[in-house]
Amino acid sequence: MHVPDDAPARCPVCEVEYDSVSEHDAGLLVNLLDNERYRRVCFDPVLVDGEARVRFYHHTHEQTAPTDTQETTPVDGHLE
C-alpha cells in the first residue's frame, strides 16, 4: 500500500471530503460491515508511471452523513 502525495482535496468519485487515501497495486479485500471508523470507501482506478493502481478514498460516518441541505450524499442517494 502507498499513500499518494498528489491526492486531491475531495474524492474524485463522489466529490465528498475523505479521511485518508491509499493506493494499491495488488490484491484487494474490502469489508465495511459494522466498521466503526469508515462508512464508505470509493475506488478510483489510476495509472501511475504507466502501471495500473487503485486508490481507495476512505470516508468516515460523519463525512457521509446527511446535512441540512441534502438528505443523502450523492453516492448514497444514487444507491437508494
Side-chain angles (χ1 to χ4, degrees):
M1 180 190 81
H2 169 73
V3 178
D5 294 331
D6 62 345
R10 291 186 165 277
C11 174
V13 178
C14 68
E15 301 177 359
V16 173
E17 292 182 0
Y18 57 89
D19 183 56
S20 63
V21 60
S22 58
E23 189 175 277
H24 304 266
D25 64 357
L28 307 170
L29 172 74
V30 178
N31 177 4
L32 295 182
L33 297 176
D34 301 320
N35 189 300
E36 292 182 18
R37 185 168 184 182
Y38 298 116
R39 178 169 183 214
R40 179 174 75 226
V41 176
C42 291
F43 306 94
D44 186 34
V46 295
L47 284 177
V48 177
D49 297 327
E51 293 185 15
R53 306 278 175 94
V54 177
R55 288 188 179 172
F56 285 30
Y57 291 86
H58 310 95
H59 299 282
T60 65
H61 292 266
E62 293 78 17
Q63 290 169 326
T64 59
T67 65
D68 291 339
T69 60
Q70 63 184 32
E71 292 184 17
T72 59
T73 61
V75 172
D76 292 336
H78 176 72
L79 295 175
E80 291 179 346

